[in-house]
Amino acid sequence: MEVKQLLTKLQEHFEEMVIIRRYLHEYPELSHEEVHTPAYIATFHRELGLEVREGVGGRGVVATLHGGRPGKTVALRADFDGLAIQELNEVPYKSKNDGVMHACGHDGHTATLLVLAKVLAGMRDRIEGTIVFIHQHAEELAPGGAKAMIADGCLDGVDVIFGTHLWAPTPLGQVLVRDGAIMAAADRFEIVIQGKGGHGAEPQHSVDAIVVGAHFVTQLQTLVSRRVAPLEAAVVTVGQFEAINPFNVIADTVKIQGTVRAFDETVRQQVKEELELLVKATCLGMHASYEFAYFDGYPPVINHVAQTQYVQEIAKQVPTVEQVTVCPPFMIGEDFGYYMQHVPGTFFFTGAKNPAWETVYPHHHAKFDFDERAMLTAAQVLGAAAWSYLTSENQEDVVV
């Protein structure tokens, strides 16, 4: 009965979610540069009477709600950083910070968690245990904020953690879950190929770094198809190939940057080693030299089985959820995986595709947006999961 009251109160506060989300959308801040946003979050929680820590792991905020009775501790997490993108949407809440945009839904994540905290704070006397609201900075830029916040104690005493991502490609009303690997490790590499520049008319006196780089990128396509086992998963993408020269000059150097994605740690290390071996062999055969740098990014997000099945059953009983689907793993990355290296938990996707929109722009696009009703769905699933976990000790049919 109390969970039903929680869901109803969240419905009544939906318009407040929208107001908060749109305000945050107007004032996005880049990763590791967040100032106004964490201050806004901290003030909101303090006005609810919650215990608040600022500057956690750098710029994170942790608010703690102590229930009226003793019990376990549940953590809920939302990220709040924006991206270096110039917004092209013509909406009343368009970003007012030039060159910065909430193009991934983190404004919605924050609004969801703030209003959920407000509703739960109004029911605190009936809560058995503690709820920790983790507001994380810098999810978009490795090394990210999660690792530093954990080191600064955001998970101290936490028994379980839940998180979600508003997901624009998935229709509103759907929730995507998966136990085990749901998101991949996300690494970055940088390569500088050093040739020997010269006159465009006299290639015999030069080593063309562009040609060397092009051969490397072409051969790179066989790394996954011929070096990684067919039943394993990996992606290697070159996102930058830079050689700026006059039209009649043979390039002296080329800079190549890209990303590696994998679920399995052995495959991740294999690709890393094969990458350098391939650039070394290419350069050796074409009389060039190279510099190779590899940056380990986020680990894969590995959902715990029991917690995933628990949220799956909870979500089925939430009125705004029309369908719960076991999804395939995604090659995108998220530093939520760090949290689940320390405590059990699960991360799920909340569908946010407006059925009336003919075009749905992807995350990290200058015209990205989402159906704001997805925030209510996310809040109801997270709220029901937290409340039921604390008050019913993870039993079946905890919502009914």
Side-chain angles (χ1 to χ4, degrees):
M1 183 63 69
E2 289 174 326
V3 172
K4 290 183 178 180
Q5 292 177 1
L6 170 63
L7 302 183
T8 299
K9 288 179 179 294
L10 287 169
Q11 175 76 59
E12 294 169 354
H13 284 78
F14 171 64
E15 289 303 321
E16 185 175 5
M17 286 186 206
V18 173
I19 292 169
I20 294 172
R21 180 260 167 157
R22 294 187 178 188
Y23 172 76
L24 294 172
H25 191 90
E26 290 185 72
Y27 301 99
E29 295 178 294
L30 294 174
S31 307
H32 300 292
E33 298 178 19
E34 307 96 335
V35 176
H36 173 76
T37 308
Y40 176 89
I41 292 168
T43 298
F44 188 96
H45 281 295
R46 283 201 178 95
E47 290 177 352
L48 299 177
L50 272 60
E51 177 186 307
V52 178
R53 287 181 61 206
E54 295 182 75
V56 181
R59 299 178 185 271
V61 179
V62 176
T64 303
L65 172 61
H66 297 285
R69 288 170 281 181
K72 295 184 178 181
T73 299
V74 176
L76 306 175
R77 175 269 204 171
D79 39 18
F80 59 74
D81 53 328
L83 287 154
I85 296 174
Q86 183 67 45
E87 182 165 13
L88 297 181
N89 288 315
E90 294 301 328
V91 292
Y93 48 92
K94 182 178 181 179
S95 172
K96 294 181 179 179
N97 292 344
D98 192 50
V100 187
M101 176 190 175
H102 272 297
C104 201
H106 296 185
D107 50 346
H109 299 168
T110 303
T112 295
L113 205 58
L114 289 177
V115 173
L116 176 57
K118 182 175 183 175
V119 171
L120 287 168
M123 304 172 70
R124 75 183 77 200
D125 291 344
R126 288 172 279 168
I127 294 176
E128 299 176 14
T130 301
I131 302 176
V132 177
F133 302 94
I134 299 175
H135 292 271
Q136 183 200 309
H137 61 297
E139 185 278 328
E140 295 287 2
L141 184 64
K147 194 171 184 179
M149 290 189 72
I150 294 167
D152 202 6
C154 75
L155 290 180
D156 289 356
V158 170
D159 295 297
V160 68
I161 186 168
F162 302 122
T164 190
H165 202 302
L166 303 178
W167 199 238
T170 298
L172 180 72
Q174 292 191 21
V175 169
L176 306 182
V177 300
R178 182 181 183 84
D179 59 49
I182 191 170
M183 284 184 279
D187 300 336
R188 177 169 63 92
F189 62 87
E190 292 183 2
I191 297 169
V192 177
I193 293 177
Q194 183 64 54
K196 181 182 178 183
H199 198 290
E202 297 183 321
Q204 70 275 19
H205 301 306
S206 307
V207 176
D208 193 333
I210 290 179
V211 172
V212 179
H215 272 269
F216 166 73
V217 173
T218 300
Q219 294 180 72
L220 191 60
Q221 309 311 306
T222 66
L223 195 156
V224 172
S225 66
R226 288 295 177 267
R227 299 301 300 161
V228 175
L231 296 183
E232 298 290 351
V235 170
V236 182
T237 295
V238 171
Q240 182 185 84
F241 190 108
E242 184 179 277
I244 302 175
N245 295 284
F247 77 97
N248 58 351
V249 173
I250 290 176
D252 188 63
T253 60
V254 162
K255 183 178 182 180
I256 298 171
Q257 292 193 73
T259 185
V260 173
R261 308 294 173 109
F263 297 107
D264 182 82
E265 188 62 33
T266 301
V267 173
R268 188 183 184 189
Q269 293 304 314
Q270 178 192 3
V271 173
K272 177 180 179 180
E273 294 169 4
E274 295 275 358
L275 260 174
E276 183 168 15
L277 181 62
L278 182 58
V279 70
K280 179 179 180 180
T282 304
C283 289
L284 180 64
M286 303 184 76
H287 308 288
S289 60
Y290 72 95
E291 296 177 6
F292 177 82
Y294 193 95
F295 306 92
D296 290 327
Y298 301 152
V301 178
I302 310 295
N303 283 336
H304 295 257
V305 175
Q307 286 68 35
T308 303
Q309 292 176 349
Y310 168 70
V311 168
Q312 183 175 1
E313 293 307 310
I314 288 287
K316 290 178 181 178
Q317 302 170 67
V318 169
T320 54
V321 175
E322 298 175 5
Q323 183 178 355
V324 181
T325 303
V326 177
C327 64
F330 294 90
M331 277 294 179
I332 56 176
E334 237 277 7
D335 64 353
F336 193 89
Y338 284 122
Y339 298 110
M340 292 189 294
Q341 291 178 346
H342 295 268
V343 297
T346 193
F347 190 87
F348 60 95
F349 291 92
T350 301
K353 178 181 178 180
N354 187 310
W357 292 346
E358 293 184 5
T359 301
V360 178
Y361 293 96
H363 292 254
H364 295 206
H365 191 281
K367 288 189 175 182
F368 169 82
D369 208 343
F370 63 87
D371 191 319
E372 292 172 321
R373 291 173 293 178
M375 295 188 294
L376 176 60
T377 301
Q380 288 184 331
V381 176
L382 288 173
W387 186 285
S388 301
Y389 183 88
L390 293 176
T391 59
S392 302
E393 298 183 348
N394 247 347
Q395 298 301 311
E396 295 182 0
D397 299 325
V398 289
V399 175
V400 176

